Structure formats: structure tokens, C-alpha cells
């Protein structure tokens, strides 16, 4: 491992945190951070756009103000929605440091790079600004997080040799996915000799809520959680320095710590079961929405797309009346599937490349009548 300060391979992903209504549950988060740190883990990942800025503020109160700076590794990001011009980047960065209560970030990532975003970051000299901030000691390592096809990643890493780490989506379901291309992106990182940070190892929880048949297969291996296989799968790849897990409660945290404290790569038998589980999930044909909510922000009709997809996923496994009831609760005072005007804004931001407009039409057919 190239970064000495990074202690273990499990990172605390702070896009999802324990919540009390719309606010972060500080006592619960504090307990989780203490448990995490006490087992020797120290890597935290956030962004100003996570939970509308509440993630950074909560981390300040529960981590930064309570632990010596040298004990934790802090990653933040430059998100595209927060700047338009080169002149805005430095003030935004300083504001981030201030909100987080820090004088430097250990890692600073160019957030959600894809073909279009990369153009914007290049035109606004975002990469150069980050390298300059590194020279000033305000960033220790510059990296990027990535959502696009492998050839785009190859081009970025060729043009930006100073990038030190790459965050990619990698999980056992997306390895050969033609749009996400986890395996190809992984290979590009290896080719450029960049340490890899894995995001979405359990695909926003989809690899926990798996079909019953798949559960039976894992249950044959013992009483380990379904998440444990997904996280160990990602951590078993050579060159993966960190696997991020979004943990929303103590139970998830304790489960993760139990198998990542003394990490063991997957056995041959476990790989073979995962292959079978993968086939079952693919056949079940559920919408692979991770609940990241990137699509929701720009929707002119205020449609809560991920919540509607949760309902649509339930249509085939649960009684339709129950699903319709849930749908009414989820869409109360918000846009419904039928309100979609097909502007396509949401599809431009979806890291899973979902055909949201088509899926909403389907949801409307089942749920709006
Ligand atoms: S296509 Fe529909 S769901 Fe997507 S942003 Fe436009 S109105 Fe909203
Ligand atoms: S539809 Fe796409 S962008 Fe929206 S929450 Fe799901 S995965 Fe995220």
C-alpha cells in the first residue's frame, strides 16, 4: 500500500449516514465512528453534495472535533454542480475546508468524472488548481472518482499522470455490465498503476436485498451477511486499497468490522457461489438503482425517482395494493411517475445509466391507475 496513513481496507462512506428524519443522528454516528476507529480503521469519504452538506457538518462534530488530525484520513471532492468557472474553484475549496474544520484534505477527488464532466474540469483548469493546492499542502493526494466507460478513464489517466488514486464502481454484478464496465475500468487503473478505491460494493444495498434463491445459496456457506460477500469480493482484487461502505446503523457497522478487521480474500467455493448468485439476480430483473439520488436534484417535476423504482421493484414480489399504498406515501406532495415530462435531465446524471424515462412510464402503468 502506497499511502502509509491509510490503515485498513474498509472506508466509512458518508453519502448515507444514520438519520433521524431529515437530520443526521449525531449520537448514533458518534458511536459508529468510535467503533470504527477503535478497530484500527481510519478512512472517511464525503463530499459537499452528500446529504445537502449535512455529511460534512456531521463529520466535523463527530470525528474532526473529537480526534487528533493525524489519526484519520479524510477524503473530499470537487463536485461539478458547485462551480461553473475557474475563479469559483478556490473559494469553494476554502469553504469546504472551513465547513469540515480542517486545514488540509488527505485525498481530494475530481468528483464523478465522465466524458462531459471531464471537458468542464479541463476547461476550468480544475485539475491544475488541485495540483497547485497540493503543492501548497492543502491537499495531500489528488485523485478522481469515475462513472463512464473504460476508454474515457484511459484517456483521462493518460492526460493526467499526476492523478494518484482512482475511485471506481466495482461489485460482483457490474463486472461485465456493458455500461458500467467495472472489469475494464479496473484493468485501466492497473495499466496506469493507480491504487483503486471501490465505491458501491453492495450496489446501494441491492446485493443485500437479494432474491430468496440467492439467499439460500449464501446461507449454505454459513451465517455471514450477504453484504460481507460483496465487500470481500471487492477487497479481494489486487490493487484495491480501499472499499467504501455506506453504513446507516450500528448493526451494519459491526457486521462490516467483524470480517474486515482481519480481512480474508474469498475462497474458491465462495467465488463459485457468487457466480450462481449473480445469475439468479440477473434473471430477477430488478432495476439496479443504487439510491444515490443524483437524478432527483434537477428534476423539474420533483419526482423522487429512486423511491418510485423501489416500488416498481416490489411490484412482482408483493401484493399490488400494498405497493400502491407505499407509492402513495412515497410520492405524497411530490411528482408522480405520470408527471414525467421526459426532459431527460435525470438520465444525464445517473451513474448507473438507467433509462429513467422508460422505467417511469412502466411505473406509471402499474402504479398511477
Ligand atoms: S425526464 Fe422526467 S424524471 Fe427525468 S428529470 Fe425530466 S421530468 Fe424529471
Ligand atoms: S436512478 Fe440513477 S441517479 Fe437516480 S438514484 Fe437511481 S442510480 Fe442514482
Amino acid at each position: 500500500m502506497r499511502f502509509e496513513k491509510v490503515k485498513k481496507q474498509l472506508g466509512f462512506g458518508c453519502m448515507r449516514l444514520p438519520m433521524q428524519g431529515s437530520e443526521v443522528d449525531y449520537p448514533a454516528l458518534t458511536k459508529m465512528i468510535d467503533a470504527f476507529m477503535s478497530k484500527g480503521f481510519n478512512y472517511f469519504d464525503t463530499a459537499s453534495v452528500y446529504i445537502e452538506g449535512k455529511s460534512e457538518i456531521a463529520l466535523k462534530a463527530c470525528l474532526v472535533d473529537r480526534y487528533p488530525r493525524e489519526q484519520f484520513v479524510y477524503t473530499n471532492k470537487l463536485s461539478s454542480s458547485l462551480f461553473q468557472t475557474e475563479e469559483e474553484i478556490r473559494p469553494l475549496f476554502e469553504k469546504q475546508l472551513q465547513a469540515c474544520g480542517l486545514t488540509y484534505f488527505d485525498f481530494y477527488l475530481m468528483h464523478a468524472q465522465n466524458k462531459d464532466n471531464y471537458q468542464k474540469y479541463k476547461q476550468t483548469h480544475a485539475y491544475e488548481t488541485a495540483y497547485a493546492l497540493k503543492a501548497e499542502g492543502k491537499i495531500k493526494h489528488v485523485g478522481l472518482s469515475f462513472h463512464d466507460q473504460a476508454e474515457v478513464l484511459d484517456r483521462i489517466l493518460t492526460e493526467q499522470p499526476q492523478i494518484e488514486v482512482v475511485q471506481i464502481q466495482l461489485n460482483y454484478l457490474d463486472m461485465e455490465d456493458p455500461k458500467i464496465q467495472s472489469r475494464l475500468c479496473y484493468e485501466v487503473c492497473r495499466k496506469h498503476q493507480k491504487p483503486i478505491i471501490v465505491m458501491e460494493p453492495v450496489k446501494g444495498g441491492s446485493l443485500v436485498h437479494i432474491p430468496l434463491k440467492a439467499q439460500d445459496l449464501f446461507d449454505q456457506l454459513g451465517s455471514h451477511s450477504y453484504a460481507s460477500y460483496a465487500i470481500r469480493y471487492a477487497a479481494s482484487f489486487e490493487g484495491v486499497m480501499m472499499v467504501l461502505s455506506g453504513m446507516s446503523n450500528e448493526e451494519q457497522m459491526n457486521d462490516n468490522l467483524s470480517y474486515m478487521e482481519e480481512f480474508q480474500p474469498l475462497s474458491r467455493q465462495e467465488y463459485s457461489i457468487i457466480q450462481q448468485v449473480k445469475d439468479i439476480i440477473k434473471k430477477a430483473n430488478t432495476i439496479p438503482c443504487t439510491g444515490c439520488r443524483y437524478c432527483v436534484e434537477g428534476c423539474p417535476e420533483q419526482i423522487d425517482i429512486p423511491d418510485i423504482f423501489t416500488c416498481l421493484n416490489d411490484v412482482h414480489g408483493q401484493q399490488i395494493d400494498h405497493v400502491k399504498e407505499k407509492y402513495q406515501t412515497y410520492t405524497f406532495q411530490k411528482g408522480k411517475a405520470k408527471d414525467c415530462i421526459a426532459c431527460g435531465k435525470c438520465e444525464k446524471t445517473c451513474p448507473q445509466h438507467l433509462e429513467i424515462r422508460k422505467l417511469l412510464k412502466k411505473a406509471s402503468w402499474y402504479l398511477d391507475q
Side-chain angles (χ1 to χ4, degrees):
M1 199 173 286
R2 266 174 51 186
F3 306 105
E4 272 175 20
K5 202 176 163 192
V6 176
K7 294 297 176 207
K8 290 195 172 182
Q9 234 185 334
L10 176 73
F12 200 139
C14 299
M15 186 166 88
R16 303 177 186 94
L17 289 175
M19 303 295 287
Q20 283 275 11
S22 59
E23 298 304 319
V24 177
D25 183 340
Y26 281 36
L29 179 61
T30 302
K31 267 175 113 177
M32 286 165 68
I33 288 174
D34 289 350
F36 188 71
M37 297 286 284
S38 73
K39 298 282 183 186
F41 298 87
N42 68 346
Y43 187 96
F44 294 84
D45 171 274
T46 191
S48 301
V49 291
Y50 291 170
I51 330 180
E52 295 156 358
K54 292 175 187 171
S55 174
E56 282 179 341
I57 307 295
L59 272 187
K60 179 176 184 304
C62 305
L63 170 75
V64 176
D65 291 347
R66 297 177 58 248
Y67 283 91
R69 181 64 184 95
E70 65 281 5
Q71 283 185 15
F72 57 88
V73 177
Y74 198 115
T75 295
N76 208 324
K77 309 189 184 80
L78 178 65
S79 303
S80 170
S81 60
L82 301 182
F83 73 98
Q84 294 308 325
T85 63
E86 179 174 354
E87 292 67 38
E88 288 170 355
I89 297 175
R90 269 186 180 262
L92 170 65
F93 178 84
E94 295 296 342
K95 220 170 111 192
Q96 282 181 299
L97 275 181
Q98 202 184 8
C100 297
L102 297 171
T103 53
Y104 69 90
F105 294 123
D106 295 278
F107 291 89
Y108 195 66
L109 309 185
M110 304 292 107
H111 197 181
Q113 296 297 277
N114 57 29
K115 200 165 148 232
D116 296 342
N117 259 351
Y118 180 54
Q119 271 319 104
K120 174 179 172 181
Y121 281 57
K122 257 176 60 166
Q123 278 161 8
T124 54
H125 301 111
Y127 282 81
E128 286 83 351
T129 306
Y131 302 145
L133 286 163
K134 180 181 169 184
E136 292 163 28
K138 293 178 173 177
I139 295 172
K140 297 292 176 197
H141 307 287
V142 180
L144 63 91
S145 71
F146 186 74
H147 290 288
D148 204 341
Q149 310 233 314
E151 58 176 7
V152 178
L153 181 59
D154 196 19
R155 183 156 70 81
I156 299 178
L157 293 181
T158 304
E159 291 180 10
Q160 305 290 341
Q162 294 180 70
I163 286 295
E164 293 166 90
V165 285
V166 180
Q167 185 164 309
I168 57 170
Q169 175 164 331
L170 188 151
N171 58 62
Y172 64 72
L173 207 61
D174 290 330
M175 290 311 286
E176 316 304 337
D177 184 283
K179 287 182 180 157
I180 295 169
Q181 299 192 342
S182 293
R183 183 177 303 284
L184 294 175
C185 289
Y186 168 80
E187 283 166 6
V188 168
C189 294
R190 297 295 288 160
K191 178 179 130 188
H192 288 269
Q193 299 180 325
K194 305 296 177 192
I196 297 160
I197 301 168
V198 169
M199 59 184 153
E200 301 291 6
V202 292
K203 216 169 158 50
S206 329
L207 302 184
V208 175
H209 306 288
I210 52 177
L212 283 176
K213 265 194 190 166
Q215 294 182 19
D216 288 344
L217 281 172
F218 276 143
D219 291 347
Q220 285 171 23
L221 292 171
S223 57
H224 311 290
S225 67
Y226 307 136
S228 72
Y229 296 107
I231 288 176
R232 286 177 53 230
Y233 177 88
S236 295
F237 280 87
E238 209 173 314
V240 167
M241 80 162 205
M242 185 59 56
V243 179
L244 299 176
S245 176
M247 298 171 263
S248 312
N249 56 49
E250 277 182 76
E251 198 187 338
Q252 287 172 6
M253 160 71 69
N254 292 334
D255 179 51
N256 280 352
L257 299 183
S258 70
Y259 53 84
M260 289 305 285
E261 196 180 355
E262 301 297 335
F263 168 68
Q264 293 292 328
L266 290 175
S267 67
R268 199 172 285 187
Q269 190 195 11
E270 287 170 328
Y271 274 120
S272 143
I273 295 284
I274 282 178
Q275 185 54 46
Q276 296 170 54
V277 165
K278 205 165 140 174
D279 294 342
I280 293 170
I281 298 174
K282 293 234 157 172
K283 275 194 198 131
N285 205 18
T286 49
I287 304 163
C289 166
T290 61
C292 67
R293 306 187 67 79
Y294 291 156
C295 56
V296 177
E297 198 181 315
C299 174
E301 297 301 309
Q302 296 177 325
I303 299 172
D304 201 320
I305 299 159
D307 278 357
I308 293 179
F309 287 170
T310 304
C311 297
L312 188 53
N313 278 339
D314 287 346
V315 160
H316 299 295
Q318 296 182 17
Q319 284 196 3
I320 191 70
D321 287 347
H322 289 168
V323 183
K324 278 189 174 176
E325 221 171 274
K326 187 154 97 179
Y327 175 72
Q328 289 307 330
T329 313
Y330 281 178
T331 57
F332 181 65
Q333 294 187 334
K334 293 181 193 165
K336 301 208 181 293
K338 67 175 181 210
D339 297 324
C340 173
I341 54 168
C343 66
K345 260 182 140 180
C346 51
E347 290 180 15
K348 290 198 183 114
T349 58
C350 177
Q352 308 308 318
H353 309 285
L354 297 178
E355 292 181 308
I356 297 175
R357 287 171 286 185
K358 246 193 205 168
L359 290 165
L360 285 177
K361 259 195 185 164
K362 196 169 156 194
S364 181
W365 189 83
Y366 281 111
L367 302 167
D368 278 327
Q369 342 191 355

